[in-house]
Amino acid sequence: MAIEWESVIGLEIHCQLDTKTKVWCGCSSDYDNSPENTHTCPICLGHPGALPKLNKKVLDYAIKAGFALNCDINKESKFDRKNYFYPDTPKNYQITQFDHPYAEGGHIDIKLSNGSDKRIGVTRIHIEEDAGKSIHAGEESFINFNRASMPLIEIVSEPDMRSSEEAYQYLNLVKDALKYTKISDVSMELGSLRCDANISVMHKGAKAFGTRVEVKNLNSFKGVARAIDYEIGRQIEEIENGGEINQETRLWDEEAQVTRVMRSKEEAMDYRFFPEPDLVRIVITDEQLERLQDEMPESKVAKMARFVDDYKISENDAETLSNSIELADYFEKVVISSDNPKLSCNWILTEVLRILKDNNKTIEDFSINSEELGEIIKLIDKGAISSKIAKKLFEIKLNDERSPKAIVEEEKMAQVADTSEIEKMVVEVVANNPKLVEDYKVADEGRKPRVVKGLMGQVMKASKGKANPQMVMDILIEKLS
Ligand SMILES: [Zn+2]
């Protein structure tokens, strides 16, 4: 019988905090990737005697991340030095938090394919500084220190994930939770969110985990899932072929879709951690915690649940609407002015999102404000315009300053609900289609509605889509019989 394998995955996520200045100095964090070291000073360049001082905003943002990931915040914690020599580390050590992180014991709940929840533990979050960047160009190498001492938090998960799908979901939910707090732009593409994965395999049901391998250089969400799948397959094959898994660090090669050894255990560095003597201990007060708790937005998970409950929309729709706080706010404002949640949801998810996608825009730049879209939806709801005309109105409104009501009036788009006017059109269509009318008379009950539909289409066409469909139908049936 073939052996069943189980994989064990833990993630380390680095998130760059979106503060205006770096973590220890006043250098602007708004650096570009120019090769010139324009965003540097003696502190972030590690000049002897320069003293770091913690940016208060960094701690505020980090605490918000702790709240968002359901962590306990430690009122006291400290910074430590992680010593290693590498060209892009100007001080030859990194300031991080070793044994006393500021946040611990959090969690994120993912959804399994069978619909049940699974809780993934967040072991800890700590604050640390980023390194500079080495740039290799042909024979030459350059070092850019603009990124040196940019504020980061590192979020370490428990080894609770058992597949690439679970890891992918966890990573996405962490991103969503952080994005809502507006402490980071959480973009893997831009490097403000980075992820390393610890992966091992064991026989299904085994108690002890196998030897774990750390995989780095995961630059996209899909890349994380692919690298994990590749690494699980590689480890199982290695063991089944009689080999052993070495405790090592591997790099994901996105182009070749394989992982390659970066350094083995023997090459692992001894970081000689010790407390950072140039920084005081971090002390967080109750007042600070209360203030930050008050500033926390409703979480995405809570918002989705509320949308499903209050507005009776599907979980999927609630999820899409909650993708950004701004879109969710827009939706709620449209509902206030339209008084029709379902129709508001449909219009935003189809028409509005389509326009935003086509023009690569976000809801903040959308030309129809929530009140105006609410007005369009109200016009449909009241039967003043058909949904077909509403789409035309929407297209016009995209580049028109007039109110939807004014456009409907001035462009004569209102639905015709005048009995005599509709009757006139019906009589004309009936007179011009003797064949269809004859057809209707001989048709059985099952076929009659189809014939009526054909005639109705002609009346609608004659009215340029403006006739009230229900009235057309009623009058047609009356005339035919
Ligand atoms: Zn600086």
Side-chain angles (χ1 to χ4, degrees):
M1 202 182 83
I3 299 163
E4 273 199 80
W5 292 93
E6 189 162 44
S7 52
V8 176
I9 302 152
L11 296 185
E12 290 168 11
I13 301 170
H14 281 94
C15 168
Q16 192 180 74
L17 301 177
D18 200 11
T19 52
K20 290 202 170 61
T21 54
K22 294 184 178 183
V23 59
W24 320 122
C25 59
C27 287
S28 164
S29 59
D30 187 21
Y31 62 87
D32 48 27
N33 286 319
S34 91
E36 284 162 51
N37 286 296
T38 45
H39 290 63
T40 55
C41 72
I43 297 171
C44 55
L45 288 174
H47 288 188
L51 288 175
K53 191 170 166 242
L54 177 63
N55 177 345
K56 281 190 182 139
K57 265 275 176 300
V58 168
L59 185 57
D60 278 0
Y61 281 18
I63 292 171
K64 283 188 175 180
F67 287 151
L69 302 178
N70 308 299
C71 289
D72 298 324
I73 308 294
N74 293 326
K75 293 216 176 131
E76 272 196 49
S77 61
K78 68 175 174 70
F79 287 109
D80 301 276
R81 285 189 186 180
K82 181 179 179 180
N83 298 280
Y84 63 99
F85 179 78
Y86 199 75
D88 61 18
T89 309
K91 295 191 285 283
N92 292 336
Y93 58 82
Q94 178 196 30
I95 303 178
T96 179
Q97 295 192 281
F98 179 51
D99 48 358
H100 286 107
Y102 81 94
E104 290 174 281
H107 65 262
I108 283 283
D109 291 335
I110 62 170
K111 268 248 172 326
L112 298 179
S113 48
N114 65 13
S116 64
D117 281 342
K118 176 174 174 179
R119 181 154 287 189
I120 307 296
V122 173
T123 316
R124 56 182 280 165
I125 314 178
H126 57 260
I127 300 169
E128 61 185 30
E129 61 179 330
D130 209 343
K133 241 180 188 169
S134 302
I135 299 150
H136 307 289
E139 294 285 291
E140 290 179 297
S141 283
F142 302 88
I143 299 171
N144 187 313
F145 288 119
N146 287 338
R147 200 181 67 179
S149 290
M150 281 292 291
L152 299 178
I153 49 172
E154 181 174 346
I155 302 155
V156 182
S157 84
E158 291 289 313
D160 286 344
M161 291 155 272
R162 293 290 173 272
S163 67
S164 62
E165 293 85 49
E166 291 185 16
Y168 182 80
Q169 223 190 108
Y170 166 80
L171 180 59
N172 268 291
L173 289 173
V174 167
K175 186 195 92 170
D176 285 348
L178 296 176
K179 192 173 152 201
Y180 256 50
T181 62
K182 302 200 184 295
I183 58 166
S184 168
D185 60 5
V186 285
S187 161
M188 281 195 98
E189 291 70 33
L190 299 175
S192 50
L193 197 72
R194 292 167 237 160
C195 179
D196 302 330
N198 288 306
I199 304 160
S200 65
V201 297
M202 61 182 183
H203 289 170
K204 204 174 174 102
K207 290 253 157 25
F209 292 167
T211 306
R212 74 174 195 195
V213 168
E214 185 178 9
V215 179
K216 287 182 176 288
N217 201 34
L218 306 171
N219 298 322
S220 71
F221 285 84
K222 292 227 166 75
V224 171
R226 282 197 292 262
I228 290 172
D229 280 336
Y230 172 85
E231 186 56 25
I232 292 169
R234 185 193 71 82
Q235 291 184 18
I236 292 172
E237 196 179 309
E238 189 74 40
I239 299 170
E240 285 185 340
N241 289 336
E244 259 181 19
I245 301 303
N246 300 316
Q247 191 179 332
E248 60 195 8
T249 303
R250 300 175 73 90
L251 284 183
W252 171 242
D253 181 338
E254 180 70 42
E255 209 156 297
Q257 300 276 304
V258 296
T259 62
R260 299 181 204 283
V261 182
M262 180 182 147
R263 57 173 177 253
S264 65
K265 194 185 179 187
E266 290 74 42
E267 296 165 281
M269 283 182 265
D270 172 9
Y271 293 117
R272 297 180 294 117
F273 281 100
F274 65 83
E276 167 59 57
D278 289 343
L279 284 162
V280 293
R281 291 175 74 80
I282 302 174
V283 178
I284 299 169
T285 62
D286 287 333
E287 291 73 39
Q288 187 176 10
L289 288 178
E290 260 168 53
R291 170 175 59 82
L292 295 169
Q293 190 78 69
D294 284 346
E295 286 175 25
M296 286 294 285
E298 178 185 34
S299 75
K300 183 175 176 182
V301 175
K303 201 184 279 291
M304 279 169 56
R306 186 168 60 78
F307 280 8
V308 170
D309 275 358
D310 289 1
Y311 303 127
K312 312 288 172 232
I313 59 176
S314 75
E315 212 165 297
N316 266 340
D317 290 351
E319 151 119 65
T320 313
L321 288 170
S322 311
N323 266 339
S324 80
I325 292 186
E326 289 75 17
L327 187 66
D329 286 350
Y330 183 85
F331 163 67
E332 291 202 272
K333 284 186 194 148
V334 173
V335 172
I336 289 172
S337 46
S338 72
D339 208 21
N340 187 332
K342 187 86 195 85
L343 208 50
S344 302
C345 167
N346 290 347
W347 269 77
I348 293 172
L349 294 188
T350 52
E351 304 307 317
V352 176
L353 288 190
R354 174 176 59 82
I355 299 287
L356 294 180
K357 192 169 171 239
D358 287 353
N359 297 288
N360 204 12
K361 280 187 170 174
T362 59
I363 193 74
E364 292 103 302
D365 324 307
F366 188 50
S367 60
I368 302 180
N369 69 36
S370 56
E371 243 168 78
E372 292 165 337
L373 184 63
E375 198 179 315
I376 295 176
I377 291 166
K378 212 162 192 170
L379 288 168
I380 308 169
D381 214 15
K382 281 193 311 193
I385 53 173
S386 65
S387 33
K388 207 169 169 185
I389 293 289
K391 283 188 184 162
K392 223 185 231 171
L393 170 62
F394 177 80
E395 294 294 329
I396 297 173
K397 183 68 196 98
L398 285 171
N399 303 299
D400 200 313
E401 293 292 312
R402 291 174 294 171
S403 76
K405 255 191 201 139
I407 298 174
V408 168
E409 270 167 36
E410 286 161 30
E411 308 296 327
K412 303 200 181 357
M413 298 171 94
Q415 188 153 255
V416 177
D418 178 332
T419 316
S420 63
E421 213 171 315
I422 293 178
E423 217 170 55
K424 227 167 77 190
M425 288 187 278
V426 168
V427 169
E428 214 173 289
V429 166
V430 167
N432 291 339
N433 293 278
K435 245 196 180 149
L436 273 175
V437 174
E438 199 48 45
D439 206 9
Y440 177 82
K441 282 184 182 144
V442 296
D444 58 30
E445 287 309 311
R447 228 177 77 78
K448 271 189 185 347
R450 257 188 292 160
V451 185
V452 175
K453 276 233 167 89
L455 286 162
M456 186 173 154
Q458 301 229 22
V459 180
M460 292 306 292
K461 207 169 149 194
S463 78
K464 300 197 175 70
K466 289 188 288 191
N468 179 314
Q470 192 53 52
M471 289 180 70
V472 173
M473 178 69 97
D474 293 346
I475 296 173
L476 246 177
I477 290 175
E478 189 195 305
K479 293 280 166 216
L480 289 170
S481 51

